Amino acid sequence: MTSAIGLGIDAGGTQTRWALADASGKILGEGRVSGFSALQCATEKGVVHLKDTLENLGNAVRELALPTGICAGVTGFVSGSASAQLLLELLRLQFPEAKKLQLGNDIEIAFLDVFRPGEGYIVYAGTGSIAAFIDVDNNFHRAGGRGATLDDAGGGYWIACAALCQIWRAEDERPGVWLQSAMARAVFKELGGCDWLTTRQFVYGTGSETNRGDIGKLALAVAQSADADDKALQILTNAGTELARLAKAMISRYGVRPVALAGRAAMLHPIIEATFRRSLPAEIAVQRSEGAAHEAAARIAAKASI
């Protein structure tokens, strides 16, 4: 009889992480491919990217094992939607041997990696930002996660855009002043140029969901310059305040519970977590979650396929 092997997928705008686990929970291997979102199902170009990304993921996974179950968390996922059906079909094409396939929102997996239903709230900051609560009846509740056009304050994309806004406003007033800014120097180094055409092409050149993740990566440059640039530090401080707002929204709706802060953007610099903590009421227990959602998903998938 074939042993149960679970494939866990954590897909976000910046990158997609995957892991394989056996029935005992042991991680057999892991890796990463390009980021993707359920929102990409709405465009022909997006679907091509999805197919390419899942093919790359499938090739990497099959070098290690054939999964008997899959648990995937995908940003932008909405159950019952046309995009959900397409994602299921693409996953089945890549992994026809998997007898169990669970597909949901990436934040649901992140929550269940930290809390049991009804236990607490998670605030997750990746490319975007969202707070989530799964109650004892397994109902999913959210605050934020509205996308970059509307909000996503405190996430990597928001941090990057705030930095670019400040940099170019300063250039409007004093051309060349970027040379005096550690943040501007770091961002322009990442962009590969200090002229407006370079920034414009990077921000507006493709208009794709993938580019949103690429822009979000500029938050790394902001964080790296924060200890030498007050404006960068203020942006990250504001990010912590915005993430705390999401937690407070959940607390006001469902009462006092522990809060977990998670996601790569939340860990960019200590000031984000420090501001997050001091922005919340003193009675709220805050924990930092550095758990790997793709590994948690892999264990869920392995157990489901036994």
Side-chain angles (χ1 to χ4, degrees):
M1 181 177 179
T2 304
S3 298
I5 297 177
L7 169 62
I9 301 172
D10 176 25
T14 303
Q15 66 176 358
T16 298
R17 297 185 296 172
W18 62 268
L20 288 167
D22 63 19
S24 71
K26 179 183 177 182
I27 299 299
L28 305 175
E30 57 186 299
R32 63 188 66 191
V33 293
S34 299
F36 69 88
S37 162
L39 300 176
Q40 290 175 294
C41 293
T43 67
E44 183 177 345
K45 184 176 181 180
V47 172
V48 170
H49 174 76
L50 281 170
K51 290 179 177 178
D52 290 344
T53 301
L54 289 175
E55 183 177 356
N56 291 336
L57 189 153
N59 291 336
V61 168
R62 283 187 290 272
E63 288 183 2
L64 297 176
L66 296 177
T68 58
I70 299 172
C71 179
V74 182
T75 188
F77 174 84
V78 177
S79 180
S81 65
S83 63
Q85 184 59 39
L86 178 57
L87 283 168
L88 283 169
E89 291 173 2
L90 293 176
L91 283 168
R92 288 192 181 106
L93 282 173
Q94 279 299 319
F95 304 101
E97 66 282 350
K99 58 185 180 182
K100 293 285 186 180
L101 203 161
Q102 304 173 65
L103 186 58
N105 195 294
D106 54 341
I107 191 65
E108 295 178 52
I109 293 175
F111 178 95
L112 293 172
D113 190 36
V114 183
F115 296 122
R116 293 187 296 272
E119 197 171 56
Y121 310 115
I122 187 168
V123 176
Y124 192 94
T127 303
S129 62
I130 188 171
F133 172 54
I134 298 177
D135 65 27
V136 292
D137 295 320
N138 285 311
N139 297 310
F140 179 82
H141 308 276
R142 64 186 289 163
R146 310 298 178 189
T149 301
L150 295 181
D151 201 341
D152 269 358
Y157 182 94
W158 180 90
I159 290 170
C161 288
L164 287 170
C165 177
Q166 288 207 14
I167 290 167
W168 282 107
R169 283 189 172 195
E171 285 299 296
D172 287 340
E173 296 164 7
R174 295 175 58 199
V177 74
W178 70 269
L179 288 166
Q180 301 173 32
S181 165
M183 178 174 71
R185 294 195 303 270
V187 169
F188 283 156
K189 180 180 179 180
E190 188 67 26
L191 289 176
C194 61
D195 58 286
W196 168 239
L197 289 179
T198 299
T199 298
R200 186 179 70 179
Q201 178 60 30
F202 185 80
V203 174
Y204 302 110
T206 64
S208 70
E209 180 69 16
T210 301
N211 196 49
R212 188 177 74 95
D214 292 338
I215 293 170
K217 292 177 184 177
L218 292 179
L220 291 168
V222 179
Q224 290 164 2
S225 62
D227 293 338
D229 193 306
D230 289 342
K231 289 185 177 180
L233 192 66
Q234 186 60 55
I235 290 171
L236 299 178
T237 300
N238 293 344
T241 302
E242 292 290 350
L243 296 176
R245 186 196 71 82
L246 294 174
K248 287 188 282 190
M250 301 306 278
I251 293 165
S252 69
R253 286 158 58 185
Y254 305 109
V256 173
R257 285 180 173 84
V259 176
L261 180 64
R264 290 180 293 279
M267 309 305 166
L268 284 172
H269 191 280
I271 194 64
I272 297 176
E273 181 181 350
T275 305
F276 180 83
R277 288 178 178 272
R278 67 172 174 261
S279 298
L280 293 177
E283 69 269 22
I284 301 299
V286 177
Q287 65 187 79
R288 178 177 179 174
S289 173
E290 297 185 64
H294 61 307
E295 293 182 356
R299 296 186 180 100
I300 291 170
K303 290 179 181 177
S305 61
I306 293 175

